[in-house]
């Protein structure tokens, strides 16, 4: 089936070429880091995790969100999602590959990566995160590829795939729960030490992931023969709406607990993020933009007439996506390191090398996604032609 | 083909081998064990008491820190973003941020506290390490295997004491004179205070305790007759962030009460 990805329009070749160039540029930046060490990044003794780990965290959510298409289709037989369920699964595959790459580029000794398997440590949440992420990658790839393969030959998918799809549903919940546990179990980081962390992670994932999926569907509808129905897009948009409302609600719960209890350790990071602390306020504009976009997105999505307007819908989805990215892809991880163990603020500014590496990782992710989606479109074009031809 | 005689020989040697292995495992379990004839120091739970009042000037602590860093090949990187430190000083309101008060006496406000790895009883860093590169020994020391560490820095996120440093680049050019008795580190691994475990094996006290002129007392917390326990019996003491349940093994006494005042 992979041969479908080798033939395409000029636009397709140009897009793939661009992604390969960006990936190579990212790789050269990474070689610099590999040679010198993580000193090429903006990381420090106090802010020891930065954009690599925060992008990892955000993308685990995007990966998990495939379940928002899978549950209605596989569990509730919601046929409208039948065509796009594979887009969700392949988005998950690309997202998990991005996650693994972000973990890899974050390691100080990447050549020792296999130590996680050679010396398995079940007490470490990172061990479980590796297990669930690898499992999820395999599940989604096997399900997507097999279903598509049978579709190409004109057969219904085999029974064992059906069983895998049922396993993949709780598995998706597990990957983001375990990722939340990476943070929520640490004694010294008050901003992360919250029982609702996994719920927040899942709600923001189920907003951001489907929002991205709709945007991808709209792009495919414009540039390819893959036409997602308006009904499927509108159903997904409703999912985005309520997930985003839950996400904002959960965040407000954090704000209430911190400020009504008046416990300094629980208030201080929120103060730093939204008002600045001791003159350090790098993240303040990002957090307020996130807040404004979150409410803008929710309002636009809540009004049915607006939601059905494609332009307004695109604006709303981009707002939701950027808001969740700023909250989780920046504020959550970086905020956890402020203040440090001594009550002091160290700010983090990523370097150009670091940003280039991030660009490269995302380019590889987009390349994976492009190839997988190209295969899907190629197979669908072939089968649809096959369907029509006898009648012509 | 193996004949019966060879087979029996192999089985017998395997039996002896596994008996030795089991014996070894048994030995690891009892930390207070002493290898006969060796001078090494052993304990059920190593701990440290720091009498802050005995550090008269900040230079006194700097001297101790310099001795530690020199001994342990800690690179001198004068850049707060990338610096490596095993023991250094902080004032009261940063060491014990949760005890801060506007009415704190000027004397306490001015006091400097040596801070280092607390060698916790329930170390969060050990719990989170995905490769067991950092681990707790039966004698309470939280140790590091620099060859196993993958540099994920999860331990740094987990440590509530800011005790861990990461090698953002090759540290060796920043070491003035390499001490071959202890290892240097490579780029990309985490490091921290080791309670001088290799010195304890030779029957020596930790460098900081030796250089402190009696301000740092090191000993076995599990032994009621040890000097550390005696000092703790006679003085009011503080530990950092005990409310987190980590069980720090570093105790601070600030003078002003008890027989040591």
């Amino acid at each position: 089936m992979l041969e479908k990805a080798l033939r395409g329009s000029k636009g397709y070749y140009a897009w793939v070429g661009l992604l390969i160039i960006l990936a190579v540029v990212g790789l050269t930046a990474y070689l610099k880091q590999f040679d010198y060490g993580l000193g090429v990044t903006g990381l420090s003794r106090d802010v020891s995790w930065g954009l690599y780990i925060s992008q990892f965290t955000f993308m685990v959510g995007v990966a998990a969100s495939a379940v928002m298409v899978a549950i209605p289709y596989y569990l509730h037989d919601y046929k409208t999602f039948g065509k796009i369920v594979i887009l969700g699964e392949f988005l998950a595959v690309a997202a998990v590959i991005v996650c693994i790459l972000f973990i890899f580029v974050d390691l100080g000794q990447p050549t020792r990566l296999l130590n996680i398997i050679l010396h398995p440590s079940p007490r470490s949440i990172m061990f479980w995160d590796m297990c669930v992420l690898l499992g999820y990658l395999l599940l989604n790839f096997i399900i997507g590829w097999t279903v598509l393969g049978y579709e190409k030959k004109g057969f219904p998918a085999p029974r064992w795939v059906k069983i895998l799809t049922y396993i993949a549903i709780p598995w998706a919940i597990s990957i983001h729960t375990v990722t939340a546990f990476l943070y929520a179990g640490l004694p010294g980081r008050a901003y992360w030490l919250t029982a609702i962390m996994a719920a927040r992670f899942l709600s923001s994932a189920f907003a951001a992931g489907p929002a991205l999926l709709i945007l991808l569907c709209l792009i495919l509808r414009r540039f390819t023969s893959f036409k997602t129905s308006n009904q499927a897009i509108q159903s997904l948009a409703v999912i985005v709406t309520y997930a985003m409302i839950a996400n904002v609600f959960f965040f407000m719960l954090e704000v209430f607990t911190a400020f009504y209890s008046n416990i300094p350790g629980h208030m201080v990071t929120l103060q730093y993020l939204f008002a600045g602390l001791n003159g350090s306020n790098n993240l303040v504009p990002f957090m307020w933009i996130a807040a404004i976009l979150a409410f803008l997105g929710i309002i636009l999505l809540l009004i049915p007439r607006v939601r059905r307007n494609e332009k307004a819908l695109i604006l709303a989805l981009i707002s939701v996506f950027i808001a969740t990215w700023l909250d989780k892809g920046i504020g959550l991880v970086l905020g956890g390191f402020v203040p440090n163990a001594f009550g002091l603020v160290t700010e983090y500014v990523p370097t150009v090398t670091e940003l280039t590496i991030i660009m490269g990782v995302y380019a590889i992710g987009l390349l994976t996604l492009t190839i997988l989606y190209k295969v899907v479109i190629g197979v669908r074009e072939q089968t649809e032609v096959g369907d029509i031809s006898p009648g012509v | 083909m193996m004949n019966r005689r060879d087979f029996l020989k192999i089985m017998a040697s395997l039996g002896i081998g596994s008996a030795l292995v089991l014996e070894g495992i048994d030995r690891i379990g009892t930390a207070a064990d002493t290898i006969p004839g060796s001078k090494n120091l052993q304990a059920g739970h190593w701990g440290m008491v720091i009498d802050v009042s005995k550090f008269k000037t900040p230079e006194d602590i700097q001297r101790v820190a310099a001795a530690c860093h020199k001994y342990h090949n800690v690179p001198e990187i004068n850049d707060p973003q990338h610096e490596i430190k095993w023991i250094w000083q902080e004032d009261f309101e940063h060491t014990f941020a949760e005890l801060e008060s506007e009415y704190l006496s000027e004397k306490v406000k001015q006091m400097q506290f040596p801070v280092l790895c607390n060698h916790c009883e329930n170390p969060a860093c050990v719990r989170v390490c995905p490769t067991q590169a950092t681990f707790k020994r039966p004698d309470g020391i939280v140790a590091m295997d620099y060859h196993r560490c993958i540099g994920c820095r999860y331990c740094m996120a987990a440590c509530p004491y800011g005790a861990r440093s990461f090698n953002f680049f090759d540290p060796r050019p920043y070491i003035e004179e390499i001490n071959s008795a202890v290892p240097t580190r490579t780029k990309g691994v985490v490091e921290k205070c080791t309670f001088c475990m290799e010195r304890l094996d030779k029957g020596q006290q930790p460098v900081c305790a030796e250089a402190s002129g009696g301000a740092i007392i090191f000993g076995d917390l599990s032994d009621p007759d040890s000097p550390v326990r005696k000092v703790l019996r006679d003085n009011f003491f503080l530990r950092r962030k005990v409310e987190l349940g980590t069980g720090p093994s570093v105790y601070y006494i600030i003078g002003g009460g008890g027989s040591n005042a």
Side-chain angles (χ1 to χ4, degrees):
Chain A
M1 281 192 296
L2 204 54
E3 75 280 358
K4 303 276 182 216
L6 300 176
R7 290 259 162 99
S9 62
K10 271 189 185 149
Y12 172 73
Y13 288 135
W15 170 243
V16 169
L18 174 73
L19 290 177
I20 290 173
I21 290 168
L22 294 181
V24 170
V25 172
L27 181 68
T28 32
Y30 178 70
L31 289 179
K32 198 170 141 194
Q33 179 187 299
F34 185 83
D35 181 50
Y36 182 76
L38 281 158
V40 300
T41 67
L43 295 168
S44 62
R45 199 180 183 282
D46 283 334
V47 185
S48 45
W49 280 345
L51 280 183
Y52 296 153
I53 292 295
S54 66
Q55 298 318 291
F56 153 78
T57 307
F58 181 77
M59 290 309 287
V60 175
V62 170
S65 72
V67 80
M68 284 289 107
V69 192
I71 288 178
Y73 180 65
Y74 290 121
L75 290 190
H76 300 278
D77 202 25
Y78 184 66
K79 296 263 186 332
T80 314
F81 283 168
K83 251 185 102 176
I84 59 165
V85 72
I86 193 157
L87 297 186
E89 283 154 359
F90 281 169
L91 176 60
V93 170
V96 175
I97 287 172
V98 166
C99 292
I100 292 169
L101 287 174
F102 273 124
I103 289 288
F104 184 80
V105 299
D106 186 68
L107 293 181
Q109 283 286 341
T111 56
R112 298 181 187 168
L113 177 68
L114 286 180
N115 278 3
I116 301 183
I117 296 164
L118 293 173
H119 309 287
S121 315
R123 293 223 308 169
S124 172
I125 299 294
M126 207 174 272
F127 169 77
W128 293 106
D129 214 30
M130 177 203 67
C131 294
V132 290
L133 278 174
L134 288 179
Y136 192 66
L137 176 66
L138 280 177
L139 276 173
N140 278 287
F141 185 74
I142 292 171
I143 293 169
W145 201 257
T146 312
V147 169
L148 202 62
Y150 275 74
E151 201 177 308
K152 189 176 168 222
K153 297 192 185 95
F155 289 111
R159 238 187 105 70
W160 60 267
V161 173
K162 189 97 180 154
I163 295 164
L164 287 188
T165 59
Y166 291 143
I167 296 172
I169 289 169
W171 205 290
I173 310 287
S174 83
I175 63 165
H176 221 24
T177 304
V178 174
T179 306
F181 285 176
L182 280 178
Y183 298 96
L186 304 182
R189 311 270 174 200
Y191 190 57
W192 296 340
L193 191 73
T194 164
I196 208 173
M197 186 67 95
R200 274 179 67 193
F201 269 35
L202 287 165
S203 61
S204 78
F206 296 160
L212 179 62
L213 191 58
I214 298 174
L215 292 170
L216 290 171
C217 286
L218 291 173
I219 292 169
L220 292 183
R221 192 153 83 176
R222 172 157 302 180
F223 295 104
T224 74
S225 62
F226 194 99
K227 309 291 182 200
T228 308
S229 70
N230 275 330
Q231 200 195 344
I233 284 172
Q234 286 300 316
S235 300
L236 268 177
V238 173
I239 290 172
V240 174
T241 312
Y242 288 99
M244 192 58 184
I245 290 172
N247 183 34
V248 171
F249 175 65
F250 290 157
F251 186 78
M252 302 304 267
L253 297 183
E254 301 272 24
V255 174
F256 169 80
T257 304
F259 286 92
Y260 195 80
S261 71
N262 201 43
I263 297 174
H266 288 265
M267 295 187 290
V268 66
T269 301
L270 287 168
Q271 284 162 341
Y272 164 70
L273 288 175
F274 285 93
L277 202 65
N278 310 334
S280 299
N281 47 20
N282 277 356
L283 296 183
V284 174
F286 292 108
M287 294 314 286
W288 282 107
I289 292 172
I292 292 165
L293 289 179
F295 282 103
L296 175 73
I298 288 176
I299 291 166
L300 292 178
L301 285 170
L302 263 182
I303 306 166
R305 200 159 36 83
V306 179
R307 191 171 64 226
R308 282 189 210 109
N309 177 311
E310 192 176 305
K311 282 201 179 108
L313 178 67
I314 291 172
L315 177 67
L317 295 172
I318 291 176
S319 300
V320 165
F321 189 79
I322 294 176
T324 48
W325 182 77
L326 289 171
D327 167 40
K328 202 151 104 193
I330 287 192
L332 183 108
V333 174
L334 302 184
F337 290 100
V338 174
N340 72 1
F342 300 94
L344 298 168
V345 184
T346 302
E347 291 209 285
Y348 155 85
V349 181
T351 60
V352 174
T353 308
E354 198 174 356
L355 293 172
T356 312
I357 293 172
I358 290 168
M359 180 196 75
V361 171
Y362 276 128
I364 295 171
L366 274 173
L367 191 60
T368 313
L369 189 71
T370 303
I371 290 169
L372 290 172
Y373 278 15
K374 185 75 173 62
V375 171
V376 172
I377 294 164
V379 169
R380 290 278 158 88
E381 275 173 354
Q382 186 187 329
T383 53
E384 271 159 25
V385 169
D387 286 347
I388 296 162
S389 51
V392 174
Chain B
M1 271 297 283
M2 187 190 287
N3 60 34
R4 186 168 173 272
R5 192 185 147 95
D6 285 343
F7 175 78
L8 285 176
K9 262 181 25 211
I10 290 168
M11 290 318 283
S13 56
L14 276 177
I16 294 163
S18 54
L20 283 175
V21 169
L22 288 176
E23 175 76 4
I25 289 167
D26 196 33
R27 286 195 157 267
I28 294 167
T30 50
D33 232 9
T34 318
I35 299 163
S38 89
K39 284 186 300 188
N40 63 344
L41 300 180
Q42 307 230 353
H45 181 180
W46 286 117
M48 183 177 276
V49 183
I50 301 177
D51 186 345
V52 183
S53 65
K54 287 192 179 156
F55 289 107
K56 298 296 177 211
T57 63
E59 286 73 38
D60 288 343
I61 302 180
Q62 275 158 22
R63 187 168 39 77
V64 167
C68 161
H69 288 179
K70 189 170 169 358
Y71 182 85
H72 285 289
N73 295 324
V74 175
E76 201 175 317
I77 301 165
N78 295 318
D79 154 20
Q81 195 185 347
H82 299 134
E83 68 184 336
I84 312 272
K85 41 190 185 182
W86 285 24
I87 179 168
W88 68 102
Q89 58 184 319
E90 297 283 348
D91 59 15
F92 182 84
E93 63 169 331
H94 292 113
T95 311
F96 298 99
E98 62 285 0
L99 300 179
E100 201 190 336
S101 162
E102 56 178 309
Y103 306 125
L104 209 60
S105 81
E106 205 50 39
K107 190 181 146 210
V108 174
K109 228 181 236 174
Q110 298 300 329
M111 271 181 177
Q112 292 294 321
F113 292 74
V115 291
L116 66 159
C117 170
N118 279 282
H119 295 275
C120 301
E121 264 180 89
N122 303 304
C125 55
V126 170
R127 196 153 59 229
V128 302
C129 178
T131 61
Q132 294 160 46
T134 191
F135 55 97
K136 196 180 126 193
R137 306 200 320 178
D139 61 3
I141 293 180
V142 175
M144 273 290 302
D145 182 342
Y146 306 121
H147 298 275
R148 191 184 280 193
C149 174
I150 59 171
C152 70
R153 308 183 304 293
Y154 198 6
C155 55
M156 295 177 80
C159 175
Y161 302 104
R164 291 177 162 266
S165 304
F166 180 72
N167 287 285
F168 284 95
F169 36 76
D170 182 11
R172 283 161 197 139
Y174 299 87
I175 306 170
E176 208 171 293
E177 198 185 332
I178 289 177
N179 173 11
S180 56
V182 291
T184 59
R185 272 73 62 189
T186 179
K187 75 176 176 213
V189 300
V190 171
E191 61 177 81
K192 64 167 198 74
C193 157
T194 60
F195 261 1
C196 286
M197 53 190 193
E198 52 293 269
R199 285 172 62 89
L200 299 176
D201 287 344
K202 287 188 254 170
Q204 297 166 326
Q205 284 273 310
V207 174
C208 60
E210 213 170 77
S212 72
I216 296 178
I217 308 143
F218 186 78
D220 186 356
L221 286 168
S222 68
D223 173 9
D225 301 320
S226 69
V228 278
R229 283 289 294 277
K230 189 185 167 306
V231 182
L232 294 181
R233 229 180 351 256
D234 296 339
N235 291 275
F236 174 73
F237 58 81
L238 291 168
R239 285 187 296 167
R240 291 176 64 201
K241 301 185 183 177
V242 277
E243 72 280 7
L244 299 179
T246 46
S249 301
V250 175
Y251 293 72
Y252 295 92
I253 53 180
I254 60 171
S259 62
N260 262 43

